[in-house]
Amino acid sequence: MIEIRDLHKRYGAHEVLKGVSLNVEAGQVVCLIGPSGSGKSTVLRCINGLETYEGGEIRAFGQPVDVRSPAIRQLRCRMGMVFQRFNLFAHRSVLDNVMEGPVHVLGQARGPARALALDLLDKVGLVDKAQAYPAQLSGGQQQRVAIARALAMKPEAMLFDEPTSALDPELVGDVLEVMRALAREGMTMIVVTHEMGFAREVADRVCFLHSGTIVEEGSSAQVLGAPRHARTQDFLRRVLHQPAQATLEPTP
Ligand SMILES: Nc1ncnc2c1ncn2[C@@H]1O[C@H](COP(=O)(O)OP(=O)(O)OP(=O)(O)O)[C@@H](O)[C@H]1O
Ligand SMILES: [Mg+2]
């Protein structure tokens, strides 16, 4: 469904991705882990057609992902993206935030768009907040609205860039639960995360990125439980020594 071959990306003189290859099949959940600056967000932004790249190839749903292609907007609509910061429209209600894409981008009538939005808000446990404004919600609730908003476009794949890392620890669980439910429904997902418990539990595959290269890739049990590469071992040792948020225990 998503295929990356030998992706090279630079910012000026700085080579940020040095030949990244990754295949994601329909229904798979792939977690990208790695230290800050290793290129995780850049990989997602390239997949979503938000960045140019100098070498290699990205295909999504069988089509080339190319920022300069006129087809890119349509391709982008087929992938939902959720960022670390929820960037909801502050002056619109939760319901309007979720309806925005279907109405203004897909040209749906308001009636069906509203019904879909309410369904999705129900799914993320926030239907009672439909009329609230983003500022009246906790960070975790806002992030769940952001997920509902992405799902309203009926994406075929979802890309998550550290969706819980800006949240207070007690708000992380509800967001991960929504993501777990999506994975169970068979959504194709690429998730950049520091939540090792989530990765171990949900990921079909874990890729460890270091300095723009995937140094280790395998099942979550292998990469997280018995990492082969010294850099992976070192990273996991550091991440797992941080408190609460980054424990190998599945989030309750
Ligand atoms: N717009 C940009 N211009 C120049 N350099 C950039 C830009 N965006 C990212 N970089 C650089 O590219 C490298 C990879 O960044 P990226 O955001 O992909 O890392 P990351 O793995 O997502 O890190 P983090 O865990 O901190 O989010 C970093 O060295 C970063 O400084
Ligand atoms: Mg990042």
Side-chain angles (χ1 to χ4, degrees):
M1 187 173 255
I2 294 168
E3 206 177 341
I4 307 176
R5 198 179 43 79
D6 199 28
L7 180 64
H8 286 260
K9 162 79 188 164
R10 54 169 68 248
Y11 290 111
H14 184 187
E15 190 171 32
V16 175
L17 300 179
K18 303 169 184 162
V20 168
S21 296
L22 179 69
N23 277 320
V24 183
E25 316 252 325
Q28 277 191 336
V29 178
V30 173
C31 284
L32 291 184
I33 63 171
S36 182
S38 56
K40 306 179 297 294
S41 298
T42 306
V43 170
L44 286 194
R45 292 172 55 77
C46 286
I47 295 173
N48 203 26
L50 295 169
E51 295 282 356
T52 56
Y53 46 93
E54 289 74 42
E57 191 185 21
I58 306 177
R59 298 179 77 82
F61 321 113
Q63 290 182 48
V65 177
D66 179 353
V67 184
R68 289 148 300 192
S69 147
I72 192 65
R73 275 175 65 94
Q74 215 178 1
L75 203 56
R76 229 178 250 149
C77 284
R78 298 171 71 180
M79 296 181 256
M81 182 130 180
V82 176
F83 301 91
Q84 182 172 2
R85 296 265 162 211
F86 353 98
N87 37 43
L88 299 174
F89 298 112
H91 302 295
R92 299 220 178 126
S93 69
V94 161
L95 183 64
D96 281 344
N97 265 281
V98 180
M99 288 172 61
E100 161 80 21
V103 171
H104 291 102
V105 180
L106 302 180
Q108 272 182 20
R110 290 189 69 82
R114 184 186 155 88
L116 170 68
L118 287 170
D119 265 1
L120 290 170
L121 286 172
D122 188 40
K123 185 183 172 116
V124 300
L126 289 171
V127 75
D128 55 322
K129 300 284 187 194
Q131 300 306 334
Y133 284 84
Q136 297 168 315
L137 268 51
S138 75
Q141 290 170 334
Q142 290 186 51
Q143 195 59 304
R144 285 185 279 149
V145 174
I147 294 173
R149 190 173 64 169
L151 292 175
M153 298 295 282
K154 298 236 168 73
E156 289 155 73
M158 288 283 287
L159 312 177
F160 291 91
D161 194 355
E162 299 201 46
T164 59
S165 58
L167 302 178
D168 290 337
E170 73 271 20
L171 302 177
V172 168
D174 288 339
V175 175
L176 292 182
E177 190 44 48
V178 167
M179 293 169 64
R180 243 182 237 118
L182 265 184
R184 276 197 298 268
E185 286 170 17
M187 177 61 84
T188 308
M189 297 169 42
I190 305 181
V191 185
V192 172
T193 187
H194 287 291
E195 294 291 335
M196 297 303 144
F198 174 83
R200 190 167 72 165
E201 194 189 335
V202 178
D204 295 297
R205 230 160 62 244
V206 173
C207 298
F208 173 68
L209 208 67
H210 188 276
S211 295
T213 313
I214 294 179
V215 277
E216 187 157 356
E217 175 175 0
S219 69
S220 55
Q222 187 262 303
V223 176
L224 302 177
R228 296 194 184 110
H229 201 289
R231 289 205 191 282
T232 321
Q233 292 165 5
D234 186 52
F235 172 77
L236 289 173
R237 210 174 292 124
R238 276 183 290 120
V239 168
L240 298 176
H241 276 115
Q242 285 169 10
Q245 272 196 61
T247 162
L248 264 180
E249 294 307 312
T251 319

